[in-house]
Amino acid sequence: MEAARTLAAALEEIDRTAGDAPSREHLELRCRTLVTLALTELMLEGVDSAVARLAQAEQLVVELDDDVLRARLDYQRANIHGRVGDLASAWDGLEGAVRRLDAFSEHEQCSVHLSRGMLAFELLRPREALESFAEAARLAHELGRAEQEFMARHNEGYAAYLLGDLPRSLAGMARAEELDADVFLGPARLDRAQVLLEAGLAGEAIEALEAGLAELDRDGHDQMRAEFELALARAHRLLGHVDLAARAAASARDTYARLGATAWTAKATLVGLLAELDRQRRAPREDADPAGRVTALAAAATADELTQTATGLGDAELADNARVVAAQALLLAGDPAAAQARLSQLEQTANGSLADELDSAVVQAMSLVATGDRRAARGLLSRASRRLAAGQQGSASLDLRTARAIHGARLAELDLELAVPLGSGAVLEALERWRSATDRLPSLGRPADEQLAVLTEQLRAVRGQLRGESDPQQVRELNEQAGRLERRIRARDWALSRSDDSTRAVPVRLREAREHLVRVDRDLLWFFRHRGRLCAVGIVGGRASMRDLMPVERAAELAQRVRVDLRAAATHHLGPLAGAVWSSLRASARELDEALVRPWRSDRGLVAVTCPEVSALPWAVLPSMAGRPFTVALSLTSYARRGRAGSRLGARDAEVSDAPGMPDLHVSVGPGVPRGLSEGRSVLGTWGGRGALAEPSRRDLLVDALARPGVVHVAAHGTHQVESPLFSSLVLHDGPVFAHELQPTGVRADHVVLSACDVGLASARPGHESLGLALSLLSLGARSVVAAVAPVPDDVAAATMTRHHGLLASGLPSDEALARAVAETDDVAAAFLSLGGQHRP
């Protein structure tokens, strides 16, 4: 009101002093005053009064033919129409202002771009939002306006998220958080957690959300606290934490209801319903009772009510989400016709979320199955697998691309459920379809990143201090520091995009892969979980069949027992316990052999694709596997692709393979390996002295050797990081080389031998994906890798690996060379596995 009085007085003064022949200066001043008064009258009297003032200003702009005034009028028009919800008119006004940016100061230009970006969000035009926020960030940075730069960079990241570019999204948000800006970080932390969830990094999202919640004041921020809790509920549900998801959703729902936030109350209620339906779905079949059906029907009724609420609010996306939840509940209640009716009403609003898209696909496929249209269901699942594969493109982060597989886990399970009754061929197709959807080979072309290099050097230094530290307090502090650095490195790694010249692996059809098995005289066993059982589809002598082998829990128990016993047996000082350890190991190995291998009656070398329960099993300890060629592969087509004669897995190999003077063999020996140097020299000798022995070993030499064709041998101590597998490492003389450091150049080595403890281990992640040092090498492009899944004494490792190279140099394929080398040395050498594909020198 005070502003209105002041502006009215200004108009009177302008008119009084202008007289009958107002000057251009008077007219310009009157126009500017009317433009400002329009916003004031919007607040006091409504949009009609504001538009009337804008019309008066428009007449002056036309009379004066002034582009500067035109730009300011357009910007105010956009402001006013945007405030009353007329977004189309607001956009027209902003576009007019953007066409005349020179009319504004640089400070004002930054504000114009920020406004355009926010309006583009509202109009679901993320590409235009991205452009505006990027320009606003540039201007704010040049002007030193940290708060505006924070807003611009964070929202640029959110726009990239809406466009599906997760690396750019995380990069923008990370740059915003690095700024010294005096801003409330709650919304930014919430947005970043949402992006992490979309990326499949649910554990990291939970960590970010809990940290954000802890920073919120108890009083105030109720709406923000509820938003954090709702996101937490979604993250916990993604990881299968049903009780935690239900509690977080209920807390969010109650807060929203108290605040009168109807749409948000509905969203939280839906997540709570989904958590309860998850609980019902996971209940053992024999425990199903009428009460479960009643619960499902009640959930469907609630979801139907929420559909009506969303429709009344004009929120088509929320209405669709409610229909999907209702359909899922009705399927659990045994009413597929009603479920199909709900799904037929979907408006198919797209919000750009791969996770939401795949969640909806699960329910639609289940509905098709329930109504008897299994063929259509399998077609939908096939399309969903291709969508998951497409959603992983663009990221250079192996961690990020692996994590996203979590969104396809339920679809893969349903696909397998449909395939089992159809026989071995259908099962093999289903297994291959989802494994290929997340086949990350190769991931090349990532640019070098200075910030990542600095953080990695800091982590290397901390790890070095840890190796020489004995004080418990210091060890604890150094471990905490290493953990913080690892989190920062992972966050930076997620933000790096692939460059345009990176390539994808050449696809191999299933039929071609089966033909490859025949050519190399190998049989296949692909193990999978199905309804609590460990099953497998096998290709033996070119014929496919399927078997139910044993309970999953028993297989996991036996495999773990074998690994523990083999680890104990590797200790030379067991004394009288040796007999008991070996007796236990052999008993477990016999039972696994009888259940998993002997029923197939195969006398050829084997290729195995494993599931988490038996992924790190030292297969050579099984009686029928002694001396038998054996390879653990990522998939059947992956094995065939790696074995293609004359083909390359990555880009630009033809350029480097013919380079003059390039050694065929590289050997690195790390510190503290008693027989390492003699092992390295022996390996060189088996290949006629061709190659190079790095003395002392250096990280840059090893990374360079891995990036070109040839054979690489590493005799060094290694570690497998269970919680952070991409920080699994090999210790060289100038410090550890981490798995994540190999991503910029990729790996093109034909055969990599890791004569180190435990580096063949991998950590299973949600979505049945695994990561570790050896698997990272394969995923980055190596043809074949030899690595151990348990400790091996240095003398045994040296003898086994030297013999392996000797047999390889004589012309044997890599899997056969390893099998014979293991059989000819010590029983504990069974810890070494051949991984990936078959290398023929």
Side-chain angles (χ1 to χ4, degrees), residues 235-258:
H236 281 306
R237 180 174 173 258
L238 193 59
L239 289 177
H241 305 158
V242 176
D243 292 337
L244 291 173
R247 282 201 295 272
S251 179
R253 180 200 63 213
D254 292 346
T255 301
Y256 286 135
R258 178 168 52 79

PDB file of all heavy atoms in Angstrom, residues 235-258:
ATOM      1  N   ALA A 235      13.527 -44.514  -1.106  1.00  0.00           N
ATOM      2  CA  ALA A 235      14.851 -45.138  -1.143  1.00  0.00           C
ATOM      3  C   ALA A 235      14.860 -46.463  -0.386  1.00  0.00           C
ATOM      4  O   ALA A 235      15.403 -47.466  -0.866  1.00  0.00           O
ATOM      5  CB  ALA A 235      15.888 -44.182  -0.553  1.00  0.00           C
ATOM      6  N   HIS A 236      14.265 -46.476   0.793  1.00  0.00           N
ATOM      7  CA  HIS A 236      14.206 -47.723   1.566  1.00  0.00           C
ATOM      8  C   HIS A 236      13.414 -48.797   0.824  1.00  0.00           C
ATOM      9  O   HIS A 236      13.792 -49.970   0.833  1.00  0.00           O
ATOM     10  CB  HIS A 236      13.580 -47.461   2.934  1.00  0.00           C
ATOM     11  CG  HIS A 236      14.519 -46.847   3.931  1.00  0.00           C
ATOM     12  ND1 HIS A 236      15.740 -47.407   4.243  1.00  0.00           N
ATOM     13  CD2 HIS A 236      14.420 -45.712   4.675  1.00  0.00           C
ATOM     14  CE1 HIS A 236      16.351 -46.655   5.146  1.00  0.00           C
ATOM     15  NE2 HIS A 236      15.580 -45.622   5.417  1.00  0.00           N
ATOM     16  N   ARG A 237      12.361 -48.397   0.167  1.00  0.00           N
ATOM     17  CA  ARG A 237      11.567 -49.387  -0.587  1.00  0.00           C
ATOM     18  C   ARG A 237      12.388 -49.968  -1.734  1.00  0.00           C
ATOM     19  O   ARG A 237      12.310 -51.164  -2.014  1.00  0.00           O
ATOM     20  CB  ARG A 237      10.292 -48.728  -1.129  1.00  0.00           C
ATOM     21  CG  ARG A 237       9.438 -49.700  -1.915  1.00  0.00           C
ATOM     22  CD  ARG A 237       8.111 -49.130  -2.331  1.00  0.00           C
ATOM     23  NE  ARG A 237       7.477 -50.105  -3.214  1.00  0.00           N
ATOM     24  CZ  ARG A 237       7.423 -50.025  -4.527  1.00  0.00           C
ATOM     25  NH1 ARG A 237       7.940 -48.954  -5.138  1.00  0.00           N
ATOM     26  NH2 ARG A 237       6.864 -50.963  -5.249  1.00  0.00           N
ATOM     27  N   LEU A 238      13.181 -49.138  -2.393  1.00  0.00           N
ATOM     28  CA  LEU A 238      14.001 -49.615  -3.501  1.00  0.00           C
ATOM     29  C   LEU A 238      14.986 -50.680  -3.027  1.00  0.00           C
ATOM     30  O   LEU A 238      15.292 -51.625  -3.763  1.00  0.00           O
ATOM     31  CB  LEU A 238      14.759 -48.439  -4.123  1.00  0.00           C
ATOM     32  CG  LEU A 238      15.440 -48.672  -5.469  1.00  0.00           C
ATOM     33  CD1 LEU A 238      14.437 -49.090  -6.538  1.00  0.00           C
ATOM     34  CD2 LEU A 238      16.190 -47.424  -5.917  1.00  0.00           C
ATOM     35  N   LEU A 239      15.466 -50.555  -1.788  1.00  0.00           N
ATOM     36  CA  LEU A 239      16.402 -51.528  -1.235  1.00  0.00           C
ATOM     37  C   LEU A 239      15.705 -52.689  -0.542  1.00  0.00           C
ATOM     38  O   LEU A 239      16.373 -53.575  -0.008  1.00  0.00           O
ATOM     39  CB  LEU A 239      17.345 -50.837  -0.242  1.00  0.00           C
ATOM     40  CG  LEU A 239      18.381 -49.885  -0.856  1.00  0.00           C
ATOM     41  CD1 LEU A 239      19.196 -49.218   0.239  1.00  0.00           C
ATOM     42  CD2 LEU A 239      19.303 -50.638  -1.808  1.00  0.00           C
ATOM     43  N   GLY A 240      14.371 -52.682  -0.544  1.00  0.00           N
ATOM     44  CA  GLY A 240      13.639 -53.779   0.082  1.00  0.00           C
ATOM     45  C   GLY A 240      13.442 -53.628   1.572  1.00  0.00           C
ATOM     46  O   GLY A 240      13.031 -54.585   2.240  1.00  0.00           O
ATOM     47  N   HIS A 241      13.716 -52.446   2.136  1.00  0.00           N
ATOM     48  CA  HIS A 241      13.531 -52.196   3.572  1.00  0.00           C
ATOM     49  C   HIS A 241      12.075 -51.777   3.801  1.00  0.00           C
ATOM     50  O   HIS A 241      11.763 -50.593   3.974  1.00  0.00           O
ATOM     51  CB  HIS A 241      14.481 -51.104   4.059  1.00  0.00           C
ATOM     52  CG  HIS A 241      15.924 -51.386   3.757  1.00  0.00           C
ATOM     53  ND1 HIS A 241      16.895 -50.395   3.685  1.00  0.00           N
ATOM     54  CD2 HIS A 241      16.576 -52.550   3.496  1.00  0.00           C
ATOM     55  CE1 HIS A 241      18.064 -50.945   3.408  1.00  0.00           C
ATOM     56  NE2 HIS A 241      17.896 -52.239   3.284  1.00  0.00           N
ATOM     57  N   VAL A 242      11.181 -52.743   3.810  1.00  0.00           N
ATOM     58  CA  VAL A 242       9.749 -52.449   3.798  1.00  0.00           C
ATOM     59  C   VAL A 242       9.304 -51.715   5.056  1.00  0.00           C
ATOM     60  O   VAL A 242       8.548 -50.734   4.988  1.00  0.00           O
ATOM     61  CB  VAL A 242       8.950 -53.763   3.620  1.00  0.00           C
ATOM     62  CG1 VAL A 242       7.453 -53.486   3.710  1.00  0.00           C
ATOM     63  CG2 VAL A 242       9.289 -54.407   2.291  1.00  0.00           C
ATOM     64  N   ASP A 243       9.759 -52.154   6.234  1.00  0.00           N
ATOM     65  CA  ASP A 243       9.321 -51.521   7.482  1.00  0.00           C
ATOM     66  C   ASP A 243       9.793 -50.069   7.571  1.00  0.00           C
ATOM     67  O   ASP A 243       9.038 -49.172   7.969  1.00  0.00           O
ATOM     68  CB  ASP A 243       9.833 -52.320   8.687  1.00  0.00           C
ATOM     69  CG  ASP A 243       9.172 -53.686   8.796  1.00  0.00           C
ATOM     70  OD1 ASP A 243       8.065 -53.844   8.253  1.00  0.00           O
ATOM     71  OD2 ASP A 243       9.773 -54.590   9.411  1.00  0.00           O
ATOM     72  N   LEU A 244      11.053 -49.842   7.207  1.00  0.00           N
ATOM     73  CA  LEU A 244      11.583 -48.470   7.243  1.00  0.00           C
ATOM     74  C   LEU A 244      10.847 -47.586   6.242  1.00  0.00           C
ATOM     75  O   LEU A 244      10.550 -46.417   6.526  1.00  0.00           O
ATOM     76  CB  LEU A 244      13.080 -48.483   6.935  1.00  0.00           C
ATOM     77  CG  LEU A 244      13.985 -49.112   7.993  1.00  0.00           C
ATOM     78  CD1 LEU A 244      15.419 -49.217   7.470  1.00  0.00           C
ATOM     79  CD2 LEU A 244      13.953 -48.306   9.282  1.00  0.00           C
ATOM     80  N   ALA A 245      10.535 -48.144   5.074  1.00  0.00           N
ATOM     81  CA  ALA A 245       9.802 -47.378   4.062  1.00  0.00           C
ATOM     82  C   ALA A 245       8.418 -47.005   4.568  1.00  0.00           C
ATOM     83  O   ALA A 245       7.964 -45.862   4.397  1.00  0.00           O
ATOM     84  CB  ALA A 245       9.696 -48.182   2.772  1.00  0.00           C
ATOM     85  N   ALA A 246       7.741 -47.958   5.201  1.00  0.00           N
ATOM     86  CA  ALA A 246       6.385 -47.711   5.693  1.00  0.00           C
ATOM     87  C   ALA A 246       6.385 -46.629   6.775  1.00  0.00           C
ATOM     88  O   ALA A 246       5.520 -45.745   6.795  1.00  0.00           O
ATOM     89  CB  ALA A 246       5.779 -49.007   6.229  1.00  0.00           C
ATOM     90  N   ARG A 247       7.366 -46.683   7.686  1.00  0.00           N
ATOM     91  CA  ARG A 247       7.413 -45.689   8.772  1.00  0.00           C
ATOM     92  C   ARG A 247       7.682 -44.295   8.225  1.00  0.00           C
ATOM     93  O   ARG A 247       7.040 -43.315   8.631  1.00  0.00           O
ATOM     94  CB  ARG A 247       8.492 -46.077   9.791  1.00  0.00           C
ATOM     95  CG  ARG A 247       8.081 -47.183  10.729  1.00  0.00           C
ATOM     96  CD  ARG A 247       8.927 -47.178  11.996  1.00  0.00           C
ATOM     97  NE  ARG A 247      10.328 -47.489  11.716  1.00  0.00           N
ATOM     98  CZ  ARG A 247      10.831 -48.722  11.682  1.00  0.00           C
ATOM     99  NH1 ARG A 247      10.023 -49.763  11.888  1.00  0.00           N
ATOM    100  NH2 ARG A 247      12.103 -48.923  11.454  1.00  0.00           N
ATOM    101  N   ALA A 248       8.633 -44.180   7.302  1.00  0.00           N
ATOM    102  CA  ALA A 248       8.960 -42.860   6.747  1.00  0.00           C
ATOM    103  C   ALA A 248       7.783 -42.299   5.967  1.00  0.00           C
ATOM    104  O   ALA A 248       7.470 -41.102   6.050  1.00  0.00           O
ATOM    105  CB  ALA A 248      10.195 -42.966   5.857  1.00  0.00           C
ATOM    106  N   ALA A 249       7.092 -43.156   5.198  1.00  0.00           N
ATOM    107  CA  ALA A 249       5.942 -42.697   4.414  1.00  0.00           C
ATOM    108  C   ALA A 249       4.812 -42.231   5.331  1.00  0.00           C
ATOM    109  O   ALA A 249       4.153 -41.212   5.062  1.00  0.00           O
ATOM    110  CB  ALA A 249       5.456 -43.815   3.495  1.00  0.00           C
ATOM    111  N   ALA A 250       4.579 -42.956   6.427  1.00  0.00           N
ATOM    112  CA  ALA A 250       3.503 -42.583   7.360  1.00  0.00           C
ATOM    113  C   ALA A 250       3.799 -41.242   8.024  1.00  0.00           C
ATOM    114  O   ALA A 250       2.905 -40.402   8.183  1.00  0.00           O
ATOM    115  CB  ALA A 250       3.338 -43.677   8.416  1.00  0.00           C
ATOM    116  N   SER A 251       5.065 -41.033   8.416  1.00  0.00           N
ATOM    117  CA  SER A 251       5.430 -39.761   9.041  1.00  0.00           C
ATOM    118  C   SER A 251       5.236 -38.609   8.063  1.00  0.00           C
ATOM    119  O   SER A 251       4.684 -37.550   8.432  1.00  0.00           O
ATOM    120  CB  SER A 251       6.887 -39.822   9.520  1.00  0.00           C
ATOM    121  OG  SER A 251       7.266 -38.600  10.109  1.00  0.00           O
ATOM    122  N   ALA A 252       5.657 -38.798   6.832  1.00  0.00           N
ATOM    123  CA  ALA A 252       5.480 -37.754   5.817  1.00  0.00           C
ATOM    124  C   ALA A 252       4.007 -37.483   5.570  1.00  0.00           C
ATOM    125  O   ALA A 252       3.573 -36.326   5.488  1.00  0.00           O
ATOM    126  CB  ALA A 252       6.174 -38.163   4.524  1.00  0.00           C
ATOM    127  N   ARG A 253       3.220 -38.546   5.465  1.00  0.00           N
ATOM    128  CA  ARG A 253       1.778 -38.395   5.209  1.00  0.00           C
ATOM    129  C   ARG A 253       1.104 -37.594   6.312  1.00  0.00           C
ATOM    130  O   ARG A 253       0.299 -36.684   6.046  1.00  0.00           O
ATOM    131  CB  ARG A 253       1.145 -39.786   5.112  1.00  0.00           C
ATOM    132  CG  ARG A 253      -0.364 -39.789   4.855  1.00  0.00           C
ATOM    133  CD  ARG A 253      -0.949 -41.131   5.258  1.00  0.00           C
ATOM    134  NE  ARG A 253      -0.772 -41.364   6.674  1.00  0.00           N
ATOM    135  CZ  ARG A 253      -0.575 -42.572   7.227  1.00  0.00           C
ATOM    136  NH1 ARG A 253      -0.497 -43.652   6.455  1.00  0.00           N
ATOM    137  NH2 ARG A 253      -0.446 -42.698   8.530  1.00  0.00           N
ATOM    138  N   ASP A 254       1.419 -37.896   7.564  1.00  0.00           N
ATOM    139  CA  ASP A 254       0.786 -37.200   8.690  1.00  0.00           C
ATOM    140  C   ASP A 254       1.145 -35.709   8.682  1.00  0.00           C
ATOM    141  O   ASP A 254       0.290 -34.851   8.954  1.00  0.00           O
ATOM    142  CB  ASP A 254       1.216 -37.835  10.011  1.00  0.00           C
ATOM    143  CG  ASP A 254       0.667 -39.245  10.185  1.00  0.00           C
ATOM    144  OD1 ASP A 254      -0.252 -39.623   9.420  1.00  0.00           O
ATOM    145  OD2 ASP A 254       1.183 -39.977  11.056  1.00  0.00           O
ATOM    146  N   THR A 255       2.406 -35.403   8.364  1.00  0.00           N
ATOM    147  CA  THR A 255       2.821 -34.001   8.326  1.00  0.00           C
ATOM    148  C   THR A 255       2.106 -33.259   7.207  1.00  0.00           C
ATOM    149  O   THR A 255       1.603 -32.140   7.397  1.00  0.00           O
ATOM    150  CB  THR A 255       4.345 -33.894   8.138  1.00  0.00           C
ATOM    151  OG1 THR A 255       4.995 -34.559   9.221  1.00  0.00           O
ATOM    152  CG2 THR A 255       4.784 -32.436   8.100  1.00  0.00           C
ATOM    153  N   TYR A 256       2.059 -33.845   6.040  1.00  0.00           N
ATOM    154  CA  TYR A 256       1.375 -33.207   4.908  1.00  0.00           C
ATOM    155  C   TYR A 256      -0.101 -32.988   5.219  1.00  0.00           C
ATOM    156  O   TYR A 256      -0.667 -31.934   4.888  1.00  0.00           O
ATOM    157  CB  TYR A 256       1.501 -34.077   3.657  1.00  0.00           C
ATOM    158  CG  TYR A 256       2.861 -34.074   3.008  1.00  0.00           C
ATOM    159  CD1 TYR A 256       3.454 -35.255   2.588  1.00  0.00           C
ATOM    160  CD2 TYR A 256       3.556 -32.882   2.792  1.00  0.00           C
ATOM    161  CE1 TYR A 256       4.700 -35.274   1.970  1.00  0.00           C
ATOM    162  CE2 TYR A 256       4.790 -32.883   2.191  1.00  0.00           C
ATOM    163  CZ  TYR A 256       5.367 -34.078   1.779  1.00  0.00           C
ATOM    164  OH  TYR A 256       6.590 -34.083   1.168  1.00  0.00           O
ATOM    165  N   ALA A 257      -0.722 -33.973   5.840  1.00  0.00           N
ATOM    166  CA  ALA A 257      -2.145 -33.841   6.160  1.00  0.00           C
ATOM    167  C   ALA A 257      -2.376 -32.685   7.128  1.00  0.00           C
ATOM    168  O   ALA A 257      -3.330 -31.908   6.979  1.00  0.00           O
ATOM    169  CB  ALA A 257      -2.661 -35.153   6.753  1.00  0.00           C
ATOM    170  N   ARG A 258      -1.481 -32.555   8.119  1.00  0.00           N
ATOM    171  CA  ARG A 258      -1.613 -31.455   9.084  1.00  0.00           C
ATOM    172  C   ARG A 258      -1.435 -30.101   8.414  1.00  0.00           C
ATOM    173  O   ARG A 258      -2.084 -29.110   8.793  1.00  0.00           O
ATOM    174  CB  ARG A 258      -0.572 -31.640  10.197  1.00  0.00           C
ATOM    175  CG  ARG A 258      -0.555 -30.546  11.244  1.00  0.00           C
ATOM    176  CD  ARG A 258       0.294 -30.946  12.446  1.00  0.00           C
ATOM    177  NE  ARG A 258       1.620 -31.393  12.058  1.00  0.00           N
ATOM    178  CZ  ARG A 258       2.618 -30.584  11.729  1.00  0.00           C
ATOM    179  NH1 ARG A 258       2.428 -29.268  11.731  1.00  0.00           N
ATOM    180  NH2 ARG A 258       3.803 -31.066  11.412  1.00  0.00           N
TER     181      ARG A 258
END
